[in-house]
Amino acid sequence: MKKERLYNLFSGLLSICLIISTIICVSGFFLFGGRGNMTGIRVTAFRYFTTDSNILAAIVCALALPGRIKGIKTGKSEEKEFIGILRLIGTCAITVT
């Protein structure tokens, strides 16, 4: 039970870090237009699959976060089936990029 709480705490902290870093990076596209070979101003930044897969991963982390918080409190990990499927899709998309 203690392992499960520690797992949920670690997973929740990493999810928060991923959400924050994705918001910072995507907002950088809107404010500065990107750098290097990934330049895009405003909406054209979404033409890159890398950006889209990172946003998908952040959305999945945000959806899974309430279950992680509940898991920290109760010691049992609770995750809906569709979140697991979305997590798999997000992982595959990140792996491709």
Side-chain angles (χ1 to χ4, degrees), residues 17-83:
C17 290
L18 187 120
I19 293 166
I20 290 171
S21 63
T22 302
I23 289 171
I24 291 170
C25 291
V26 171
S27 63
F29 270 113
F30 283 95
L31 298 175
F32 307 114
R35 284 194 272 172
N37 61 353
M38 288 189 65
T39 56
I41 299 173
R42 294 181 181 80
V43 181
T44 59
F46 295 110
R47 68 179 168 203
Y48 299 111
F49 184 70
T50 304
T51 305
D52 298 336
S53 63
N54 289 339
I55 292 171
L56 175 64
I59 290 170
V60 171
C61 285
L63 290 174
L65 200 56
R68 296 292 176 219
I69 292 171
K70 192 172 184 181
I72 293 169
K73 292 178 183 177
T74 63
K76 294 181 181 178
S77 182
E78 295 183 19
E79 187 175 271
K80 306 268 187 207
E81 185 178 351
F82 78 93
I83 293 176

